[in-house]
Amino acid sequence: MSHYRRAAVPGGSYFFTVVTERRQPILIDPAVRLALREAIVSVGQTLPFRIDGWVLLPDHLYAIWTLPDGDADFSNRWRLIKRHVTHVCGPDYRRPELLTQRRCAKQYGTLWQHRFWEHLIRDERDFRQHMSYLHANPVKHGLVNAAIDWRWSSFHRWVRHGVYLPDWAGSGVAGATMHDVE
């Protein structure tokens, strides 16, 4: 049994990777997107956090959150978000062939992988690198030719704030970082 320890820095910023069970390409389905949005708003009302960056891909998502001072409980937030989406969408996306004995015993649905991956953001450079990775991902996966073309991303907000140029991570500039365009 592994003894994985999560980083827990109150008020910290974290990069997350959250994946669907068996990489099902369902996250950009309208019903799942709506349930995810509702879950984030609902959880944020009782357990606030700031979403610094976000990209929703068909089978996984990346996010960078900053938690309030004195608070390091990102795990509970993700648990509640995933539970809400499973409750709302689970019956329509139930895949009996993905139900293991453990999933049945713990009453898990078949939407999400049980865990998620997190990385504590160490400094501004680390923040910029993870933000660029997050925003370039739709291009990396061949979903679009430029980051600006992917609808489900915080990239558009960062362009409005002048941090990225609209043609960033398009043809010929995929290696650019936030720092390169500041």
Side-chain angles (χ1 to χ4, degrees):
M1 183 163 133
S2 72
H3 296 284
Y4 178 75
R5 303 277 189 261
R6 292 201 182 274
V9 174
S13 294
Y14 298 87
F15 174 84
F16 299 100
T17 304
V18 182
V19 182
T20 61
E21 179 64 17
R22 311 269 177 96
R23 293 273 184 177
Q24 299 170 85
I26 59 174
L27 291 182
I28 60 174
D29 291 0
V32 177
R33 285 194 337 264
L34 178 61
L36 191 54
R37 178 180 297 274
E38 290 171 352
I40 290 165
V41 169
S42 175
V43 170
Q45 289 173 348
T46 55
L47 298 168
F49 59 98
R50 183 180 72 225
I51 297 175
D52 299 308
W54 183 274
V55 67
L56 187 64
L57 298 150
D59 62 357
H60 65 291
L61 66 85
Y62 296 111
I64 298 177
W65 291 356
T66 299
L67 299 180
D69 289 339
D71 187 343
D73 190 8
F74 53 80
S75 288
N76 194 39
R77 287 168 172 86
W78 277 119
R79 180 184 63 78
L80 294 169
I81 289 168
K82 288 165 73 174
R83 184 173 73 183
H84 177 89
V85 175
T86 298
H87 177 75
V88 171
C89 297
D92 293 333
Y93 288 88
R94 185 175 176 84
R95 302 261 316 266
E97 70 275 16
L98 300 181
L99 283 173
T100 62
Q101 283 184 328
R102 181 171 189 241
R103 281 187 171 276
C104 289
K106 295 191 175 256
Q107 298 180 342
Y108 292 152
T110 58
L111 285 171
W112 303 103
Q113 282 186 3
H114 176 61
R115 297 183 184 237
F116 59 88
W117 186 82
E118 101 284 338
H119 166 79
L120 174 64
I121 301 292
R122 297 180 305 273
D123 54 30
E124 283 299 317
R125 182 175 180 268
D126 195 28
F127 180 87
R128 286 192 308 268
Q129 287 177 328
H130 281 85
M131 191 68 74
S132 292
Y133 177 83
L134 174 152
H135 287 133
N137 223 260
V139 177
K140 174 186 164 191
H141 285 285
L143 299 168
V144 290
N145 291 322
I148 197 77
D149 297 331
W150 191 249
R151 295 169 47 187
W152 303 292
S153 169
S154 59
F155 180 76
H156 307 276
R157 175 175 37 131
W158 287 93
V159 168
R160 284 191 305 274
H161 291 301
V163 175
Y164 288 105
L165 297 174
D167 64 352
W168 179 88
S171 59
V173 292
T177 65
M178 287 176 69
H179 181 70
D180 297 330
V181 297
E182 291 179 335

